[in-house]
Amino acid sequence: MTVTVNLEKQQAIDLYSKMLLIRRFEEESERLYRRGMIRGFLHTYIGEEAIAAGAVPLLRTDDYVISHYRDHGHALARGMDPKTAMAELCGKSTGSSGGKGGSMHLFDAEKHFMGGHAIVGGQLPLAVGMALGIKQKGLDSVVMCFFGDGAVNEGEFHEAMNLASLWKLPVIFVCENNFYSVYSPLSVRQPKNRKIYKMVRGCNIKSYKANGNYT
């Protein structure tokens, strides 16, 4: 299925500006990492900017976003102050988590950005729990949960999809498939001809495939 979206000029400028902000932030992060000013691990969002910039702004302010360890782009797309985010990466007390979380644990409760999570697939059951809480409270919000293609081989993925479907929860799962799980290519991690976006259909969850590149 091909969907064509016509953007107004200002909408296109806003999207491009957000993608450019994320790219420049990540490039500077890499420079600081090489200089030893960012400790621990650093997983940049370079090449995936269009996904966060296109998806996150569609949400309302009362919706929630939760992410994986490659979380900088999602945080910036949700409106986190770049200075606050960079301070967190550098371990400063002015960072979003007081400098104690680092690159993989950006949080902004005011923006309803519920953090990056370093455990592969660990954010999936958390998203389900958040969505369950929203439903029980009778709120009109949704949770957007980002995860990578590597997470589909984790037990949490299947459990989360099953419960989200069973309980009819207000959660949108976004799989960012960059064809690599750290150092392992997708071709050696999944059965031949398996389509990741179709895996959830066994749980009666609607799914769609989209091109996350700029072209």
Side-chain angles (χ1 to χ4, degrees), residues 157-214:
F157 169 78
H158 302 280
E159 294 165 349
M161 299 303 148
N162 183 63
L163 290 176
S165 177
L166 184 65
W167 294 337
K168 295 179 173 57
L169 299 179
V171 56
I172 302 169
F173 295 104
V174 182
C175 178
E176 299 178 309
N177 184 1
N178 62 10
F179 305 107
Y180 273 88
S181 179
V182 187
Y183 306 113
S184 301
L186 184 65
S187 60
V188 302
R189 289 186 287 107
Q190 71 167 3
K192 187 177 180 180
N193 298 323
R194 186 177 76 177
K195 305 296 183 183
I196 289 179
Y197 76 100
K198 293 183 178 181
M199 291 175 63
V200 299
R201 294 181 179 177
C203 291
N204 198 31
I205 294 178
K206 292 182 179 180
S207 64
Y208 305 92
K209 179 182 178 181
N211 185 349
N213 294 318
Y214 300 157

Side-chain angles (χ1 to χ4, degrees), residues 49-196:
E49 299 92 341
I51 305 172
V56 175
L58 297 176
L59 300 173
R60 302 186 320 216
T61 57
D62 59 336
D63 294 327
Y64 293 82
V65 178
I66 189 168
S67 179
H68 44 67
Y69 56 73
R70 202 180 302 273
D71 60 344
H72 310 165
H74 307 125
L76 294 174
R78 190 55 171 164
M80 178 181 284
D81 183 350
K83 293 182 179 179
T84 301
M86 189 62 77
E88 183 60 35
L89 267 62
C90 294
K92 295 185 176 182
S93 61
T94 52
S96 60
S97 298
K100 298 178 180 179
S103 170
M104 297 184 284
H105 301 286
L106 298 177
F107 282 82
D108 193 331
E110 291 185 0
K111 300 290 186 181
H112 284 198
F113 181 71
M114 308 314 290
H117 297 267
I119 303 301
V120 175
Q123 74 278 20
L124 292 166
L126 295 177
V128 169
M130 291 163 56
L132 178 61
I134 289 172
K135 183 176 181 179
Q136 290 180 333
K137 291 181 178 180
L139 302 177
D140 186 30
S141 303
V142 301
V143 178
M144 180 172 283
C145 177
F146 291 91
F147 63 99
D149 52 285
V152 303
N153 293 318
E154 298 286 337
E156 300 99 312
F157 169 78
H158 302 280
E159 294 165 349
M161 299 303 148
N162 183 63
L163 290 176
S165 177
L166 184 65
W167 294 337
K168 295 179 173 57
L169 299 179
V171 56
I172 302 169
F173 295 104
V174 182
C175 178
E176 299 178 309
N177 184 1
N178 62 10
F179 305 107
Y180 273 88
S181 179
V182 187
Y183 306 113
S184 301
L186 184 65
S187 60
V188 302
R189 289 186 287 107
Q190 71 167 3
K192 187 177 180 180
N193 298 323
R194 186 177 76 177
K195 305 296 183 183
I196 289 179

